[in-house]
């Protein structure tokens, strides 16, 4: 439980100073931990690639040039070219948008559904709690990546379904955290106050409980983001979801996997490194955010 | 003890029911023609009709479910279109390969991660501690298929110390007579040194890939749990009584610190069974994971469904095993139930 979240939410006028305090603390944590600063820099780079990717890419990511195929990195093609002569640097840059979109969309989806279900379960208890718990347990009974494979195979092989599958396998995590955080606040003083002033239970859950557990959920979002990217890339590596020739990191590694035995390392290496850096960056930010939100759990 | 065992087995039933229901729902409630799914992309309308009859898709859902459960009980998971074999037979023949790989990877990562975690906790703030944290952070960020490819490039292409990443044995070796299905064990039983060497050489890279993947969570939790135990009163008392440090750490602290580690193994297994699929694809490993991937690409749905169900049941069984071993290690738990 974070002292910060508790103090900031119930009193509205204190919020602004609370925000400044948080920002100040954030700057302090980032300043004290250069790794987190580095991670935020990396995130900035990723976001720039995702937004302006097609403009930044030196070549058309889909244009193949059979004369220049399988070329190692050079001044002309910094990351080399693949078996069809496409420029790998351009493909890696352009792919950032798709990879990040999949991750953001699935995390947002599970944040909405898992978070709400968890709040309802923790706040109302009773049969709501039992149903949500049962659903979470059933999902957890599967090895998660295998379940995601099954879902995408059954729903159909599209990017949307990768987003849905990734959201579903993360559902238990979000539901459980939200449930635990909501249930400890069920009888908190400010919840009692809200109840006494005549708010309905749903209103309390959404306007009083939810803002209070938001910081903890945000940390979770950042930590799951890396996992969501890995999961989506894994699915597309085995041929689910994203279809060639669409540039996407997982599928690019898969395309390069055949050439690695014959020594063309650059086709798989660069998208793989991009993938790794993206996941690394979200994990570091998650750890950094946790330090800001919940100083007690610092490791 | 037997009563505890039985009671614990009973608690897996809701999970089993859930898993069966989900795997049933995955095919029936979803949009699209289920019969067309199972008949595959190249099916004639007549074949689709046949599948429809066989699955009873013209019947109401509850009846379909009863029939599905009945099929499962008889071990009928349907036919694979690509291999032409019953799915269960395919899974059975390929499971040992996957089991060998997963177990090898898990044991390897335990051998490295647990001592690493202990040393990191005992010498908190030392170089080893920092190395442990670095490995834990990097390990969770590495896509497992990428690690595999990187290892192939380094050990096969550059240094040429590893055989080609194609299956469980190199082309000149022959498989040992089947006893357990695990080539390492079978070749030892048959005293076939050549087969042992060959299968170990093939297993090493994919095993290391999986181990790197599982290393991070195990090392992290070992370190954290050792740190927590080492600060407890009974450790201080043991130290104050003049016991040698090795005894305090290995017997007093480690045994208590093992409990969270074993709990984490459940999560590690969930990761490993998923990562297995990717590693098998990279190394052309003839296990159940690559079987499911081949079926996926051919839009052959029955093997995929069978695979998902089999993995889920295996995972439930593993969790049961973990839970039971937990009770063996911690006698306090056995006394309360």
């Amino acid at each position: 439980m974070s002292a910060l979240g508790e103090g900031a939410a119930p009193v509205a006028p204190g919020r602004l100073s609370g925000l400044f305090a948080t920002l100040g603390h954030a700057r302090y944590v980032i300043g004290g931990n250069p790794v987190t600063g580095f991670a935020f820099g990396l995130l900035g780079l990723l976001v720039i690639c995702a937004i302006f990717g097609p403009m930044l890419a030196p070549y058309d990511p889909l244009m193949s040039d059979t004369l220049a195929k399988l070329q190692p990195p050079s001044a002309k093609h910094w990351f080399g070219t693949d078996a069809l002569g496409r420029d790998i640097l351009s493909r890696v840059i352009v792919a950032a948008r798709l990879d990040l979109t999949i991750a953001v969309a699935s995390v947002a989806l599970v944040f909405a559904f898992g978070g709400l279900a968890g709040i309802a379960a923790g706040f109302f208890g009773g049969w709501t709690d039992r149903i949500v718990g049962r659903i979470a347990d059933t999902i957890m009974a599967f090895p998660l990546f295998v379940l995601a494979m099954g879902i995408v195979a059954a729903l159909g092989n599209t990017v949307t379904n990768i987003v849905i599958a990734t959201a579903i396998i993360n559902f238990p995590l979000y539901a459980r955290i939200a449930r635990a955080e909501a249930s400890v606040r069920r009888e908190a003083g400010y919840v009692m106050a809200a109840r006494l002033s005549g708010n309905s239970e749903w209103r309390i859950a959404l306007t009083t409980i939810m803002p209070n557990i938001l910081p903890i959920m945000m940390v979770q979002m950042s930590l799951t983001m890396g996992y969501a990217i890995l999961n989506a890339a894994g699915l597309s590596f085995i041929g689910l979801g994203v279809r060639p020739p669409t540039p996407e990191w997982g599928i690019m590694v898969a395309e390069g996997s055949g050439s690695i035995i014959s020594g063309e390392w650059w086709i798989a290496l660069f998208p793989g490194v991009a993938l790794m850096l993206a996941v690394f960056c979200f994990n570091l930010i998650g750890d950094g955010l946790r330090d800001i939100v919940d100083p007690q759990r610092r490791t | 003890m037997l009563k505890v065992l039985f009671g614990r087995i009973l608690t897996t039933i809701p999970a089993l029911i859930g898993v069966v229901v989900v795997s049933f729902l995955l095919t029936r409630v979803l949009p699209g023609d289920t019969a067309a799914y199972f008949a595959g992309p190249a099916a004639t309308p007549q074949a689709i009709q046949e599948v429809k009859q066989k699955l009873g898709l013209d019947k109401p859902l509850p009846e379909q479910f009863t029939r599905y459960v009945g099929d499962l009980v008889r071990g009928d998971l349907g036919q694979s279109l690509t291999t032409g074999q019953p799915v269960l037979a395919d899974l059975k023949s390929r499971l040992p390969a996957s089991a060998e790989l997963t177990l090898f990877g898990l044991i390897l990562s335990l051998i490295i991660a647990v001592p690493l975690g202990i040393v990191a906790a005992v010498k908190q703030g030392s170089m080893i501690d920092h190395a442990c944290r670095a490995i834990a952070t990097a390990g969770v960020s590495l896509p497992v298929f990428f690690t595999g490819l990187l290892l192939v490039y380094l050990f096969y292409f550059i240094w040429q110390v590893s055989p080609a990443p194609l299956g469980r044995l190199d082309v000149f070796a022959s498989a040992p007579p089947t006893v357990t299905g695990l080539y390492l064990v079978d070749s030892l039983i048959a005293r076939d040194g050549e087969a042992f060497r060959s299968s170990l050489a093939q297993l090493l890279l994919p095993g290391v890939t999986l181990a790197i993947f599982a290393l991070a969570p195990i090392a992290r939790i070992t370190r954290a749990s050792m740190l927590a135990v080492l600060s407890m009163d009974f450790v201080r008392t043991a130290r104050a009584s003049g016991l040698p440090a090795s005894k305090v750490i290995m017997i007093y602290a480690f045994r208590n610190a093992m409990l969270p580690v074993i709990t984490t193994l459940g999560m590690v297994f969930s990761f490993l069974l998923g990562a297995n699929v990717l590693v098998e694809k990279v190394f052309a490993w003839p296990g159940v994971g690559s079987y499911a991937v081949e079926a996926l690409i051919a839009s052959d749905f029955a093997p995929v469904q069978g695979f998902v169900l089999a993995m889920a049941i295996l995972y439930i069984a593993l969790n049961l095993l973990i839970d039971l071993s937990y009770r063996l290690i911690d006698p306090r738990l056995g006394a309360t139930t």
Side-chain angles (χ1 to χ4, degrees):
Chain A
M1 205 190 304
S2 77
L4 196 102
E6 296 293 313
V11 208
R15 235 184 188 160
L16 204 60
S17 62
L19 183 70
F20 279 124
T22 309
L23 282 181
H25 187 57
R27 206 173 55 214
Y28 168 75
V29 169
I30 292 171
N33 189 351
V35 180
T36 311
F38 165 74
F40 272 104
L42 210 57
L43 177 68
L45 186 69
L46 278 175
V47 172
I48 289 174
C49 285
I51 297 173
F52 303 108
M55 280 177 248
L56 293 173
Y59 295 88
D60 178 352
L62 297 177
M63 187 189 68
S64 63
D65 177 4
T66 38
L67 289 176
K69 67 178 180 185
L70 292 178
Q71 281 186 355
S74 62
K76 194 159 170 258
H77 298 282
W78 288 4
F79 288 0
T81 60
D82 67 8
L84 295 174
R86 294 173 297 195
D87 181 52
I88 291 173
L89 174 63
S90 309
R91 287 174 67 75
V92 168
I93 293 177
V94 171
R97 182 182 293 177
L98 182 58
D99 275 86
L100 286 190
T101 311
I102 293 176
V104 170
S106 63
V107 169
L109 200 64
V110 68
F111 175 73
F113 285 96
L116 284 182
I119 290 173
F123 188 63
F124 298 126
W127 60 266
T128 324
D129 193 11
R130 278 199 289 278
I131 291 177
V132 172
R134 180 56 50 217
I135 294 174
D137 283 349
T138 305
I139 295 173
M140 292 290 280
F142 288 90
L144 295 179
F145 185 75
V146 172
L147 179 63
M149 273 173 72
I151 293 172
V152 177
L155 283 178
N157 201 346
T158 63
V159 175
T160 321
N161 291 334
I162 287 213
V163 172
I164 294 174
T166 309
I168 290 177
I169 63 172
N170 278 317
F171 176 86
L173 193 70
Y174 280 78
R176 280 182 182 180
I177 291 173
R179 181 191 172 279
E181 298 293 333
S183 83
V184 296
R185 287 166 174 74
R186 202 151 81 183
E187 306 297 331
Y190 57 86
V191 172
M192 296 293 212
R195 205 170 275 148
L196 280 176
S197 25
N199 289 300
S200 73
E201 291 293 295
W202 265 110
R203 195 181 153 86
I204 297 173
L206 291 180
T207 60
T208 311
I209 300 274
M210 195 159 85
N212 270 291
I213 70 172
L214 213 52
I216 289 161
M217 299 293 283
M218 294 292 282
V219 174
Q220 207 49 52
M221 278 176 91
S222 176
L223 288 173
T224 341
M225 196 78 140
Y227 180 61
I229 293 179
L230 273 186
N231 189 67
L235 287 173
S236 62
F237 180 77
I238 58 173
L240 285 175
V242 186
R243 300 195 181 239
T246 315
E248 190 276 342
W249 295 329
I251 212 167
M252 288 173 73
V253 176
E255 284 166 355
S257 66
S259 315
I260 217 151
I261 309 179
S262 47
E264 282 99 15
W265 49 272
W266 56 90
I267 305 174
L269 182 83
F270 291 110
V273 168
L275 198 53
M276 196 183 80
L277 284 178
V279 178
F280 195 52
C281 148
F282 282 112
N283 285 342
L284 286 177
I285 290 176
D287 287 342
L289 280 182
R290 184 173 53 206
D291 291 355
I292 297 170
V293 169
D294 194 357
Q296 281 180 350
R297 257 193 279 176
R298 240 182 254 185
T299 46
Chain B
M1 188 63 211
L2 211 64
K3 210 172 137 193
V4 173
L5 185 77
F6 190 68
R8 182 60 187 83
I9 289 174
L10 278 184
T11 60
T12 62
I13 289 178
L16 276 177
I17 294 175
V19 161
V20 171
V21 170
V22 168
S23 89
F24 172 74
L25 288 183
L26 271 182
T27 56
R28 306 300 154 100
V29 178
L30 300 169
D33 188 352
T34 307
Y37 259 131
F38 279 94
T44 57
Q46 195 186 354
I48 293 177
Q49 197 56 37
E50 236 166 66
V51 171
K52 195 173 257 171
Q53 291 268 306
K54 194 190 163 287
L55 294 173
L57 291 171
D58 37 359
K59 307 270 170 23
L61 264 187
E63 202 184 321
Q64 286 184 39
F65 183 67
T66 335
R67 188 188 281 233
Y68 177 68
V69 174
D71 283 348
L72 284 187
V73 171
R74 281 196 306 278
D76 180 6
L77 293 172
Q79 291 268 333
S80 162
L81 296 168
T82 22
T83 63
Q85 298 286 316
V87 170
L88 190 70
D90 276 346
L91 286 177
K92 253 188 200 156
S93 71
R94 281 164 163 262
L95 194 61
S98 297
E100 184 169 40
L101 176 58
T102 312
L103 281 178
F104 186 77
L106 180 73
I107 291 170
L108 202 62
S109 69
L110 279 176
I111 290 175
I112 301 168
V114 171
L116 186 69
I118 293 176
V119 175
V122 173
K123 296 204 186 331
Q124 199 189 354
S126 69
M127 281 301 290
I128 293 181
D129 190 17
H130 289 302
C132 180
R133 285 190 65 171
I135 289 172
T137 318
V140 287
S141 309
L142 272 172
V144 62
F145 50 90
F146 181 59
T147 330
L149 286 173
L150 217 56
L151 291 179
V152 168
Y153 179 70
L154 292 177
F155 288 89
Y156 170 71
F157 184 78
I158 300 269
W159 297 321
Q160 306 191 337
V161 286
S162 186
L166 297 166
R168 299 175 76 184
L169 283 173
D170 63 50
V171 276
F172 305 111
S174 56
T178 310
V179 182
T180 56
L182 312 179
Y183 282 0
L184 280 186
V185 180
D186 285 355
S187 57
L188 279 184
I189 293 173
R191 297 181 191 284
D192 184 347
E194 185 50 36
F196 183 79
R197 196 204 53 76
S198 168
S199 56
L200 183 64
Q202 295 285 347
L203 188 56
L204 217 47
L205 281 194
V208 168
T209 309
L210 274 183
I212 292 176
F213 183 68
L215 206 64
I218 300 177
R220 185 185 282 216
I221 203 80
T222 308
R223 176 180 176 276
S225 125
M226 269 306 269
L227 274 180
V229 171
L230 281 174
S231 66
M232 282 180 153
D233 286 349
F234 69 87
V235 171
R236 189 201 54 194
T237 310
R239 281 208 174 114
S241 316
L243 286 173
S246 62
K247 193 165 184 183
V248 173
I249 291 166
M250 288 319 295
I251 299 193
Y252 282 70
F254 179 62
R255 207 167 154 203
N256 280 285
M258 271 309 280
L259 296 174
V261 178
I262 289 187
T263 315
T264 321
L265 280 189
M267 188 193 77
V268 170
F269 265 121
S270 168
F271 286 162
L272 276 180
L273 293 178
N276 219 16
V277 178
L278 299 170
V279 174
E280 282 181 13
K281 170 136 202 287
V282 171
F283 290 91
W285 196 258
V288 285
S290 56
Y291 173 64
V293 170
E294 281 157 25
L296 264 179
I297 290 164
S299 301
D300 182 4
F301 196 72
V304 180
Q305 196 193 21
F307 167 74
V308 173
L309 192 67
M311 286 299 110
I313 291 172
L314 183 69
Y315 182 51
I316 292 174
L318 284 169
N319 272 323
L320 178 70
L321 216 65
I322 288 168
D323 201 69
L324 292 175
S325 65
Y326 204 100
R327 278 159 209 274
L328 281 182
I329 292 175
D330 190 353
R332 284 170 300 186
L333 274 176
T336 50
T337 40

